[in-house]
Amino acid sequence: MSLTAQAEALTDTEDLGQDGAMMCGRCRATGIDVRSFAPLIGATIALGVRPLAGAGWTPYPDDRRLIDDLIDLADQVATHANAAGRLIGTAQATRAHAAAMFADAACADPPREMDMAYWASVMGDCDAAAEILWPLLHRLRAVYQRLMAAPEHLGETYAAVYRLVTAGRVLPYDGRWITGAEVPS
């Protein structure tokens, strides 16, 4: 498989985006204010999936499960980014080798044109892969940063609530007053 084909395969981030969309749906079902999980929404969109509003999602039982899911998704994104980084390294090393072999074939007397054409095609494959991989790597790094910011963003949004609970006070049943949502009758 060519390096370009491998790079194109890595650009498929839809599965990661679907995981993010599912988490967004679960956040909505839990009653979390949409602004508080905006980093997750942004990461999901950057992964190529638009989170859809709708019913049918299972609410998160507690904030720990949500944070665990955020960290798991961030780990998956990091793994994907690492794979892209390794492939960039492979493309760079392969291109350097191909350039040396091209130069060797060009300096032969007479020049080995078939070898030159082969090594030129290898360099072209490496260049095409790099054109795909660098933007992918930057996008995945941005997604990772958004996901890692999400727990802190949630914490800032609900810091007053956490202080209230840790002080021994009790929240109203269901806690939906935080979001302004109407309690179903």
Side-chain angles (χ1 to χ4, degrees):
M1 179 184 275
S2 71
L3 291 172
T4 303
Q6 292 176 53
E8 288 172 349
L10 276 176
T11 62
D12 182 12
T13 58
E14 187 173 343
D15 288 345
L16 295 170
Q18 291 297 336
D19 289 346
M22 183 262 319
M23 291 169 58
C24 289
R26 291 187 73 186
C27 285
R28 284 188 182 105
T30 304
I32 299 173
D33 184 8
V34 174
R35 292 169 293 189
S36 66
F37 63 95
L40 174 61
I41 294 169
T44 301
I45 292 170
L47 289 169
V49 176
R50 184 175 170 92
L52 301 174
W57 297 104
T58 304
Y60 277 106
D62 55 44
D63 57 348
R64 181 168 293 158
R65 179 59 194 256
L66 169 58
I67 301 303
D68 286 346
D69 282 356
L70 282 167
I71 291 170
D72 287 346
L73 182 57
D75 286 345
Q76 291 174 15
V77 168
T79 299
H80 208 82
N82 288 339
R86 283 192 305 275
L87 193 55
I88 287 170
T90 299
Q92 290 173 334
T94 302
R95 190 187 194 299
H97 176 73
M101 297 305 291
F102 179 88
D104 185 52
C107 290
D109 188 27
R112 296 186 310 268
E113 291 185 19
M114 288 189 65
D115 288 346
M116 290 170 58
Y118 171 75
W119 292 113
S121 70
V122 171
M123 288 188 290
D125 181 42
C126 293
D127 292 342
E131 286 181 23
I132 294 168
L133 290 168
W134 281 112
L136 173 66
L137 185 60
H138 292 302
R139 182 169 54 100
L140 291 173
R141 286 180 177 165
V143 167
Y144 180 81
Q145 290 172 347
R146 284 182 179 158
L147 290 172
M148 293 310 293
E152 184 177 340
H153 197 77
L154 281 163
E156 289 172 0
T157 302
Y158 293 105
V161 175
Y162 289 132
R163 281 194 301 273
L164 180 76
V165 171
T166 56
R169 304 266 168 86
V170 179
L171 290 174
Y173 177 74
D174 198 10
R176 292 198 178 269
W177 60 274
I178 297 170
T179 64
E182 294 292 325
V183 176
S185 53

